Amino acid sequence: MICPDGSSVRLPPTETEQPKGGIRGTARYFGREDNAGIEVKLANHEIRTETDETGAFVLENVPAGFHEVLFDAPGYEPDVRGELMVLPGAWTNEDVELGIGRRILDGRDWSLVPSPRDDLFLALRSDLYLVDPVALRTERIAGNVHSATFADGGEKIVVVHGQEDVRLSLFEVDARRMTEVARNVTNWQVTPDGDGVVYERIAEGRSSLEVWHHPTRRRSPVGRDVLGWRLSDDGGALVALVQAGGGFTLVAWDLAAAGGTGLGEVGGFGPFEPLPTFAPDDRSFVYSTVHGDNLLWNGRQHEVVPLDAGITQLIYGPEGNQLLYVSEGALVHRDLRTGSRFEIATSVHLPTFSPDGAGIAYFRAVPDSFVEFELVTWDRESRASTVRATIGQPVALSFDPSGSHLFVLDAIGGLHHWSSAGLRTLSEVAQELPLFAPDGGSFLYHDGMELLWIELGSDQSVSLGTNVASYPAAWDPSGRQLFYVTDGGFSRSEAFGDAWLFHPETRRIEQVGSDAWFSTGRFVADGTLLLLRRYDRTGLRGELARGEEVVGDGITHGYRTTPNADRVLFRTDALPVRRERVVALWDRPGAVRLGAPQEEEPAYQGGMTPVDAGVTDQIVDDGWIAWVSQPAVEQDRSGIYVSHYPRDLPPPPPPPAPPEEEEEEEAEDDTNLPAPQPIENGNEE
């Protein structure tokens, strides 16, 4: 090369004679402080290295030219940086951040639907995918999907899809088979066993109600011009209101028999809805005809039973085989098994069944008095009535769970308790009837705005706090702890204030939080309380605690947990990671994790791990986590990610090797090449 001053420089004739360069920089794990173990490799070469704790790496002896560098670590999404230019004898700098997990689906605006079986989940956008997070497999189920849900048990998926004609289909998870049920569907409900679907569709401009039985692929029409329908809680029966002949006809349908019965025209909005409610047996109901007659459809016997006229109250027995109703002022008892009818009394108020259905309690007006009523119990076997007490202006009546005690709320707010020991007043200013513990042996009640707890049969109550409206309280399943909130709200959903735990066995009360929503607290499987406290109602975030352990701060209400809450996946803004919608995983320290190291001193100790940013949805399981990430800047990173955390944790760095003994003569090292020198000016000769 001839220089402007007339001097010359001989350039190396081949690439191999040019001085080599290098690539250095920092590769980090998202949100972690220890960044050791990230593999950095030069594509199409044997040159590789790993990062140290700070994330620094150095690739030496890199030939001049354009290169592609691969960054990878167990459990993290690999990153590739291409077109990196390395000049002869110079360093090129590159910084990378690896996100946890493996991306299994690309794109934005995904919704995740967890399965009841906890081994799969649905990824829903316009297309619907079934995702196996353990095997990292995805399977496309359908396109143009409007909605998708798992049926109870998770063995089937109900898919509503289609562009011009909306289709309802069932996808069998284990068989991987899709079956179309119907088209032009406007409303539907799956039976609890997942074998039947009741749906309403538009056919030839008219609504049609049909039942699909999936095992036999049998379709049964129920009626046309449907105005409404109701499925029983067990999914075995259906009642529908259809238009016919200018009126409304009621149809009772038995799903197991695939047959129904027309019950004739029903009347207007009388004491019962035109669309009746099922009795506790999930087969029977009471309805009114267009002529004003009251009839009972006995679904067990498939027969219609006439009832009395002028019914103003109706109560089903606990098992659905008894009826209480008031007809023309008289309280009537009907035994549906024997068909017997017994008129109990007249001028009756507030009749109620005992929990076992063996008796009832009611009030009867005292003659010549407008304010006093007799509290009466009636025994079904003997048909005998017994007056228990006299109370002024009762407005509510209930049994305790054992059926041995009665509680009455009067018109001025007084709460009264009757037992075999007689009648006593618990409060003159109570707000409502008591709330019983799971074992029925104790209960809560109010005295004004003070909340009290007392055992049945005891005269000594325990004050739990003041300024408590309604019952913002919940027992753990064992009944050994009571969680409640004081100082705000007039309903359970509104209750916001100080949070407390009451331990009935020791009578101990402990404060477990302040500025806490009652609706964010719940007991997990082992009886530990999970609570979002120190909640900022302006910023809509707070501190999440599991018992005495603080999970994290700056957490919104949409967190997800495993059933025992040993793992919590949540979005937070209280981490050093300066990103939006950061999701973090908290594992209870000391909990045994599926896939966790099993050495005597496991590397995994639980705690909190930042996962990703730009997260819009997430799912957590014992052995894996999944989330949707759609960052605002790096939009090419958007997609659904899965991590088998903590199994996918990078292995801990090996311990330092012991120093070797010095040899008498040090071997000459001829492999160390001069380190590349930085080029300050690209125009140097």
Side-chain angles (χ1 to χ4, degrees):
M1 181 178 70
I2 306 300
C3 297
D5 63 357
S7 62
S8 64
V9 176
R10 182 180 180 276
L11 297 177
T14 64
E15 182 185 16
T16 57
E17 295 183 18
Q18 293 180 6
K20 296 184 178 182
I23 302 173
R24 62 187 173 190
T26 303
R28 297 181 178 275
Y29 300 110
F30 176 82
R32 284 181 52 183
E33 294 182 359
D34 183 359
N35 296 285
I38 299 176
E39 181 185 42
V40 185
K41 183 179 179 181
L42 198 67
N44 303 317
H45 290 76
E46 297 299 323
I47 302 174
R48 64 170 300 280
T49 188
E50 289 189 355
T51 57
D52 61 16
E53 292 183 0
T54 67
F57 70 89
V58 175
L59 293 176
E60 296 181 336
N61 300 322
V62 177
F66 290 96
H67 292 280
E68 187 176 73
V69 181
L70 312 176
F71 299 85
D72 196 10
Y76 283 74
E77 179 73 6
D79 200 342
V80 180
R81 299 300 170 95
E83 295 296 315
L84 293 182
M85 183 174 64
V86 177
L87 297 176
W91 288 106
T92 295
N93 294 315
E94 189 68 24
D95 294 333
V96 172
E97 182 180 70
L98 296 187
I100 192 173
R102 300 287 181 177
R103 182 164 48 180
I104 56 174
L105 286 170
D106 296 333
R108 302 170 66 85
D109 302 323
W110 290 99
S111 297
L112 307 183
V113 182
S115 167
R117 301 194 327 192
D118 294 329
D119 58 344
L120 302 166
F121 67 87
L122 296 177
L124 173 61
R125 201 166 56 172
S126 173
D127 291 334
L128 177 66
Y129 286 84
L130 182 66
V131 180
D132 183 338
V134 177
L136 296 177
R137 287 198 302 262
T138 63
E139 178 181 350
R140 184 178 180 274
I141 295 178
N144 295 315
V145 177
H146 304 282
S147 67
T149 56
F150 282 96
D152 289 353
E155 296 178 355
K156 298 182 182 70
I157 302 168
V158 185
V159 185
V160 179
H161 58 117
Q163 199 161 11
E164 296 181 357
D165 52 345
V166 179
R167 287 167 285 169
L168 176 69
S169 300
L170 283 182
F171 181 81
E172 297 168 78
V173 174
D174 294 332
R176 296 295 197 270
R177 179 172 55 202
M178 178 84 85
T179 303
E180 182 178 306
V181 175
R183 299 195 175 201
N184 299 315
V185 174
T186 59
N187 194 12
W188 55 271
Q189 187 174 347
V190 181
T191 58
D193 60 7
D195 285 341
V197 184
V198 180
Y199 59 89
E200 191 176 342
R201 69 185 183 94
I202 302 299
E204 299 177 356
R206 302 169 65 186
S207 63
S208 176
L209 185 64
E210 300 173 2
V211 176
W212 168 266
H213 186 248
H214 193 66
T216 62
R217 305 299 195 269
R218 182 179 60 206
R219 179 181 287 104
S220 305
V222 177
R224 305 198 71 171
D225 298 325
V226 181
L227 301 179
W229 52 274
R230 176 175 289 155
L231 186 65
S232 64
D233 289 340
D234 68 353
L238 172 72
V239 59
L241 188 65
V242 300
Q243 193 168 11
F248 306 113
T249 297
L250 205 61
V251 177
W253 191 271
D254 189 315
L255 272 72
T261 302
L263 301 180
E265 289 189 79
V266 295
F269 294 85
F272 317 111
E273 302 176 53
L275 196 61
T277 301
F278 282 99
D281 70 349
D282 285 317
R283 294 296 180 274
S284 306
F285 53 82
V286 173
Y287 64 100
S288 299
T289 70
V290 70
H291 304 293
D293 297 326
N294 298 312
L295 304 173
L296 166 72
W297 166 250
N298 188 333
R300 297 292 181 185
Q301 304 296 327
H302 292 87
E303 63 180 4
V304 174
V305 179
L307 301 178
D308 297 82
I311 295 178
T312 57
Q313 297 182 54
L314 174 69
I315 305 171
Y316 292 105
E319 297 179 358
N321 54 16
Q322 300 178 77
L323 273 179
L324 274 180
Y325 54 82
V326 176
S327 172
E328 297 180 350
L331 180 64
V332 177
H333 176 267
R334 286 266 190 173
D335 190 319
L336 305 184
R337 293 172 299 184
T338 62
S340 65
R341 176 189 181 279
F342 184 79
E343 188 171 308
I344 298 174
T346 58
S347 302
V348 169
H349 300 270
L350 305 175
T352 183
F353 275 101
S354 63
D356 61 359
I360 64 170
Y362 61 91
F363 283 100
R364 183 174 59 196
V366 174
D368 302 324
S369 174
F370 295 100
V371 296
E372 289 191 326
F373 293 81
E374 293 176 330
L375 175 61
V376 184
T377 59
W378 178 79
D379 182 74
R380 184 180 67 178
E381 184 175 352
S382 65
R383 295 183 173 179
S385 296
T386 305
V387 177
R388 301 298 185 181
T390 301
I391 296 177
Q393 295 183 297
V395 295
L397 172 66
S398 70
F399 280 92
D400 78 307
S402 71
S404 303
H405 302 254
L406 285 164
F407 292 85
V408 182
L409 192 69
D410 65 31
I412 60 174
L415 180 64
H416 310 277
H417 171 213
W418 177 86
S419 67
S420 57
L423 182 73
R424 68 188 183 107
T425 299
L426 297 175
S427 171
E428 296 288 353
V429 284
Q431 301 177 37
E432 51 193 307
L433 291 170
L435 176 68
F436 283 90
D439 63 359
S442 63
F443 60 91
L444 302 176
Y445 70 98
H446 290 97
D447 188 20
M449 294 294 285
E450 184 179 14
L451 183 66
L452 299 109
W453 171 87
I454 191 171
E455 290 182 299
L456 280 172
S458 172
D459 295 329
Q460 299 297 320
S461 61
V462 177
S463 176
L464 302 183
T466 58
N467 197 22
V468 185
S470 185
Y471 284 119
W475 294 91
D476 80 320
S478 68
R480 296 179 179 176
Q481 299 179 94
L482 174 72
F483 162 61
Y484 63 99
V485 171
T486 63
D487 299 332
F490 289 91
S491 68
R492 291 166 64 94
S493 60
E494 295 175 352
F496 181 85
D498 292 331
W500 308 84
L501 274 182
F502 172 59
H503 305 270
E505 293 181 356
T506 61
R507 308 294 197 272
R508 182 169 61 93
I509 302 173
E510 60 173 319
Q511 185 171 356
V512 293
S514 59
D515 298 327
W517 284 108
F518 173 75
S519 59
T520 68
R522 65 181 177 91
F523 288 102
V524 297
D526 65 354
T528 303
L529 179 69
L530 189 68
L531 177 65
L532 200 56
R533 61 195 188 187
R534 291 173 52 204
Y535 197 82
D536 178 4
R537 286 191 283 188
T538 303
L540 301 178
R541 51 182 49 82
E543 175 188 76
L544 185 63
R546 182 189 184 277
E548 297 180 356
E549 298 177 89
V550 176
V551 172
D553 205 355
I555 298 174
T556 59
H557 190 22
Y559 60 85
R560 300 284 188 94
T561 78
T562 51
N564 58 11
D566 278 352
R567 313 194 86 187
V568 186
L569 194 61
F570 55 88
R571 274 169 268 178
T572 175
D573 61 2
L575 295 179
V577 181
R578 299 304 177 194
R579 306 283 183 83
E580 292 184 354
R581 303 192 308 273
V582 174
V583 69
L585 173 70
W586 179 84
D587 275 318
R588 183 170 64 87
V592 178
R593 293 267 57 79
L594 185 65
Q598 299 298 315
E599 295 84 358
E600 293 182 2
E601 296 182 358
Y604 179 64
Q605 299 295 334
M608 186 168 62
T609 302
V611 175
D612 205 347
V615 174
T616 59
D617 202 356
Q618 69 265 10
I619 300 176
V620 62
D621 190 72
D622 279 332
W624 52 269
I625 54 177
W627 65 97
V628 179
S629 179
Q630 46 189 65
V633 179
E634 298 174 298
Q635 296 194 16
D636 59 335
R637 287 195 62 250
S638 297
I640 299 176
Y641 291 78
V642 172
S643 174
H644 299 158
Y645 197 90
R647 189 183 67 192
D648 285 346
L649 270 175
E660 297 182 1
E661 296 182 3
E662 296 184 1
E663 299 181 1
E664 293 183 2
E665 293 185 5
E666 192 172 295
E668 184 177 351
D669 187 358
D670 58 359
T671 61
N672 292 330
L673 301 177
Q677 300 299 317
I679 296 178
E680 298 179 359
N681 188 339
N683 294 324
E684 285 189 7
E685 297 174 0

